Amino acid sequence: MAKHDLDPKYLDPDYEPVVNHSGNTTFTSVLASRLKRRTVMKGTVGAALTSLMGAAAIDGNFKGNGHARGHDKIHGNGLAKGHTKLGFKAVAVSDANRVVVPEGYTAKPFVPWGTPLTGDYPDYRPDGTNTGADQENQVGMHHDGMHFFPIDQKAGGSSSTEGLLVMNHEYINQSALHPSGATTNGDGTRPVDEVRKEVAAHGVSVIHIKQSTDGAWAVVHGSPFNRRVTGGTPMDVRGPLRGYDKLATKYSPTATETRGTLNNCSMGPTPWGTYLAAEENWHGYFANSDAIRPREQVRHGVGSASRYDWELADSAEDQYLRFDVSVKEASADLDYRNEANTYGFMVEIDPFTPESKPQKRTALGRFGHEGVIFAPAKEGEPVVCYSGDDSRFEYIYKFVSAQPYYAATAGGYLLDEGTLYVARFNEDGTGDWLPLSLDDENFASRVANAVGTNVGDIAFDGFESQQDVLLNTRLAADIAGATTMDRPEWGAVDPRTGEVYFTLTNNSNRGKDGYDDVNAANPVVENRTGHIIRWMEAGNDHAATAFEWDIFVFAGEQGTETVVDGEAVVTLDDSNHFNSPDGLWFDYNGRLWIQTDGSSSAPYLNNMMLAADPRTRDIRRFFVGPVGCEVTGVVTTPDGKTMFVNIQHPKGNWPNVDEPRPRDATVIVTRDDNRVVG
């Protein structure tokens, strides 16, 4: 998720408010067991930890909740020696307005915002005068999560010279998008073509690309695969919420369709070769001026004003009026009071079938999806995937399909029926997956006991059905007793061991008065630099309901240590100090890539990407982005020789010094000797 340096509304705490006040885990309940075995950070935040717990409780080193024993067990499986070793010299931090990569590597910008993609291929205009219709045929803005699909994938191939690069476009920079930024008419409305252009700059781009014999990559113009999916594209509602009356709108009274996908941050390629785009901070696109708002909006922070004022377009088109989710008519099928209920899902797109309609997969829950990561699919077993809810004090979820996976017939239907779980990280390093199902006796009992009480800011009167549970996933997780986390963002599954990793980007409110105290999995008071957590499912079965966890690394400045049972397993130095881990990806050789979205002040300077050997926890800085950017989204070709990295919301005039506006872009990274990156 972007920190949105170019948009002051994203810096406003009321835009991304803390909306979880359930207080699920208290510090006093975990203190005793945390003195047994723990993973902790020493260094820059040691004073904060000491002041909270007291010197006696720290026991000298404040040892940690992790499992050196579990770590050895997980990684001692006869893996190929040196397979994940890092073969480059770390780069230094940088405040330059350019991309920095190691010696022996080359980085080149590619497919920046505005690149002609479909239709009549309208050229990008540096003065911002492209129209809304133009933008619907151009690559979108604020590149984020992405994946490379080999062009011969459907035939079982793995081409590394031609494929479909599919990427999300999270949000926009209005000052760059229009000639003089966003404008407002004298009557308070907004010009409709500006709104059209802003809606079109969101969503997903499917880009057919091919490498020439000289190694250069280019867009395949005229390809039928080139496609834009935007904030206005018609979509189907699939899974348990299809036909649910709380999703009924004037556009779809039967609650089977909706329009658009927005704030698409991370993503997830499916085992059957499609692309899932996440809908993250969708709440800010809607406005509700009613005195009382439904809990489906309250728990997500929908307010009286929207972020871009699309509902104020000077047009009577429902395409824009739908962003006003106030009650306007006698029933929901006559207005758009439920429009926001059709957002907050994972959206499946088939890049190889351009005429196909995107599908909102509602069984995976409705919340601020950062992305989704699939465990390796196994014949005859359920499909399992994980997703983080990117907001302070929110949760990590897992979905287990009801039907088994068979490669020959697998498809999106596997995501329409199954069990959604939420994670509880116990103080002793174990964990439990709590089913959010009214068929589960424990969850049903907790729901019954919560009726008539306040769950955070919501007066809870029960769930009318399992559909209601999935529509109100955050509220259900509150009631289930899940562990509040420090902004769970991207996840990744180690392809060699099956271990699951998640970034916890930061949470400066952790432990402050009026907010949740620290817990075992989030042990840092006012956690400004974040950490990465990982776990192994019981029996290495991703469908299991229990797991063991530890903390892989704490981010921070030089000297920050990650300590396991008294031993510093990572000590950050000039080669790898970082803050606010966000993007996360395992490459095809088992290296873990870590991207940052944090402070640009000293000692970190520009955001970066690091590589890690998960066995040894050797971490090195590989890539530093230009000024003001977030480094987000990474994938390689199957042979590992071409890496694609996305740069979001750069400042200045990157990547082209001759143009007056910054442009989000993908960066292609290759080794000069044509060997595997990393």
Side-chain angles (χ1 to χ4, degrees):
M1 171 197 160
K3 290 297 183 303
H4 317 284
D5 292 344
L6 299 182
D7 187 343
K9 288 185 180 179
Y10 252 121
L11 302 178
D12 183 347
D14 291 330
Y15 176 74
E16 190 192 342
V18 174
V19 290
N20 185 4
H21 299 290
S22 61
N24 272 348
T25 309
T26 64
F27 173 70
T28 54
S29 70
V30 303
L31 175 59
S33 60
R34 287 178 66 205
L35 299 181
K36 296 178 182 177
R37 78 182 317 169
R38 297 157 296 195
T39 302
V40 299
M41 172 162 61
K42 290 176 62 181
T44 59
V45 299
L49 290 167
T50 303
S51 65
L52 175 70
M53 297 187 64
I58 295 296
D59 189 28
N61 288 336
F62 186 55
K63 300 174 183 176
N65 276 315
H67 312 53
R69 172 175 49 83
H71 174 76
D72 294 339
K73 176 179 64 178
I74 290 168
H75 291 283
N77 292 328
L79 301 170
K81 292 184 178 180
H83 194 55
T84 58
K85 284 185 177 179
L86 309 182
F88 63 91
K89 182 179 179 181
V91 300
V93 296
S94 169
D95 60 1
N97 195 32
R98 61 184 179 88
V99 169
V100 179
V101 290
E103 182 180 351
Y105 285 82
T106 298
K108 297 179 180 179
F110 186 56
V111 291
W113 157 57
T115 297
L117 184 62
T118 60
D120 58 357
Y121 290 86
D123 289 333
Y124 167 78
R125 300 176 188 170
D127 61 0
T129 57
N130 282 112
T131 65
D134 290 343
Q135 182 61 76
E136 289 167 352
N137 292 291
Q138 296 171 328
V139 171
M141 203 177 216
H142 283 12
H143 298 23
D144 211 300
M146 65 178 163
H147 188 70
F148 177 85
F149 294 87
I151 196 67
D152 54 358
Q153 177 174 289
K154 291 290 186 181
S158 56
S159 173
S160 290
T161 59
E162 184 177 3
L164 306 182
L165 189 65
V166 187
M167 70 176 68
N168 291 344
H169 303 290
E170 185 182 4
Y171 70 113
I172 57 174
N173 173 6
Q174 289 175 302
S175 63
L177 192 63
H178 306 298
S180 302
T183 60
T184 302
N185 300 321
D187 60 358
T189 60
R190 290 204 54 214
V192 66
D193 198 62
E194 282 190 7
V195 174
R196 179 181 178 180
K197 188 177 182 181
E198 292 173 15
V199 172
H202 285 74
V204 176
S205 291
V206 180
I207 311 171
H208 187 174
I209 61 174
K210 188 174 183 178
Q211 188 179 37
S212 62
T213 54
D214 64 1
W217 288 85
V219 176
V220 179
H221 290 292
S223 168
F225 296 121
N226 290 336
R227 181 183 185 187
R228 282 301 322 281
V229 175
T230 74
T233 300
M235 303 192 173
D236 279 336
V237 176
R238 294 292 179 184
L241 298 187
R242 181 176 175 84
Y244 186 35
D245 59 4
K246 289 188 178 181
L247 274 67
T249 65
K250 183 180 177 182
Y251 176 74
S252 180
T254 59
T256 57
E257 296 178 282
T258 187
R259 280 174 292 194
T261 184
L262 296 168
N263 216 256
N264 304 108
C265 194
S266 183
M267 48 76 236
T270 69
W272 47 91
T274 60
Y275 181 90
L276 285 174
E279 296 181 330
E280 190 197 19
N281 283 312
W282 50 269
H283 68 278
Y285 293 82
F286 300 96
N288 187 341
S289 58
D290 294 341
I292 299 176
R293 302 183 188 104
R295 66 189 185 189
E296 291 82 15
Q297 296 177 19
V298 171
R299 188 58 180 81
H300 286 273
V302 174
S304 59
S306 69
R307 185 178 180 200
Y308 298 123
D309 296 328
W310 290 346
E311 74 281 4
L312 301 179
D314 56 359
S315 166
E317 296 179 70
D318 283 352
Q319 173 71 270
Y320 310 113
L321 298 179
R322 65 191 170 103
F323 294 103
D324 184 344
V325 291
S326 308
V327 174
K328 300 288 188 183
E329 302 293 344
S331 60
D333 60 343
L334 299 175
D335 62 19
Y336 287 96
R337 69 186 70 176
N338 289 334
E339 182 74 8
N341 291 349
T342 69
Y343 283 80
F345 301 107
M346 296 300 308
V347 182
E348 185 173 15
I349 299 167
D350 183 349
F352 290 100
T353 310
E355 69 277 8
S356 63
K357 203 172 180 181
Q359 312 282 308
K360 297 212 174 186
R361 298 294 179 189
T362 64
L364 275 61
R366 174 178 172 268
F367 48 89
H369 285 272
E370 172 72 21
V372 67
I373 180 70
F374 284 82
K378 299 179 181 179
E379 285 287 303
E381 297 186 14
V383 168
V384 179
C385 57
Y386 303 87
S387 191
D389 186 349
D390 180 14
S391 193
R392 293 166 290 180
F393 304 108
E394 294 299 343
Y395 307 115
I396 294 175
Y397 299 87
K398 175 169 81 172
F399 174 80
V400 179
S401 70
Q403 298 187 54
Y405 169 86
Y406 295 103
T409 58
Y413 69 89
L414 289 168
L415 303 180
D416 285 343
E417 185 180 355
T419 302
L420 184 66
Y421 298 87
V422 66
R424 181 176 65 202
F425 292 82
N426 300 321
E427 304 83 34
D428 61 357
T430 64
D432 300 290
W433 290 107
L434 310 174
L436 301 180
S437 171
L438 293 174
D439 291 333
D440 178 76
E441 183 177 347
N442 183 63
F443 179 69
S445 175
R446 295 182 70 100
V447 169
N449 291 334
V451 173
T453 69
N454 286 339
V455 181
D457 295 332
I458 295 170
F460 183 62
D461 60 357
F463 293 119
E464 64 183 25
S465 64
Q466 184 61 26
Q467 291 173 306
D468 203 15
V469 170
L470 292 171
L471 182 63
N472 291 280
T473 304
R474 281 182 171 178
L475 181 59
D478 295 340
I479 294 169
T483 302
T484 62
M485 308 297 285
D486 288 349
R487 287 186 58 215
E489 299 214 38
W490 294 48
V493 177
D494 189 325
R496 302 167 310 117
T497 68
E499 236 179 333
V500 186
Y501 289 67
F502 258 79
T503 53
L504 301 172
T505 297
N506 54 47
N507 184 353
S508 59
N509 286 333
R510 175 69 71 179
K512 282 185 178 180
D513 289 344
Y515 295 96
D516 275 15
D517 281 318
V518 294
N519 59 52
N522 304 269
V524 180
V525 178
E526 297 184 25
N527 184 8
R528 298 181 183 278
T529 53
H531 55 290
I532 299 174
I533 198 167
R534 65 179 177 180
W535 63 86
M536 174 64 81
E537 301 281 12
N540 203 11
D541 176 6
H542 287 94
T545 57
F547 58 92
E548 292 187 355
W549 64 270
D550 73 359
I551 292 174
F552 177 67
V553 67
F554 286 101
E557 61 186 47
Q558 300 96 322
T560 297
E561 294 182 343
T562 302
V563 179
V564 177
D565 288 345
E567 177 186 359
V569 294
V570 182
T571 301
L572 299 182
D573 56 29
D574 286 345
S575 71
N576 61 9
H577 67 283
F578 68 102
N579 78 102
S580 300
D582 189 341
L584 203 63
W585 182 66
F586 272 102
D587 68 23
Y588 302 114
N589 293 304
R591 298 181 192 87
L592 180 64
W593 296 88
I594 305 165
Q595 299 176 311
T596 72
D597 178 22
S599 170
S600 58
S601 60
Y604 310 105
L605 304 181
N606 296 354
N607 278 298
M608 63 189 70
M609 182 172 71
L610 309 98
D613 182 333
R615 295 181 304 152
T616 64
R617 301 198 224 206
D618 177 19
I619 302 173
R620 301 180 196 174
R621 187 180 304 106
F622 176 82
F623 179 109
V624 182
V627 172
C629 82
E630 171 189 354
V631 180
T632 179
V634 57
V635 70
T636 67
T637 50
D639 64 8
K641 294 182 179 181
T642 301
M643 173 176 277
F644 302 94
V645 183
N646 273 339
I647 296 298
Q648 185 182 109
H649 63 71
K651 289 185 177 178
N653 52 358
W654 187 89
N656 190 339
V657 296
D658 297 324
E659 293 181 354
R661 298 165 191 272
R663 296 175 71 185
D664 312 87
T666 302
V667 175
I668 294 177
V669 181
T670 54
R671 278 179 64 155
D672 298 343
D673 59 7
N674 197 36
R675 296 173 63 188
V676 172
V677 174

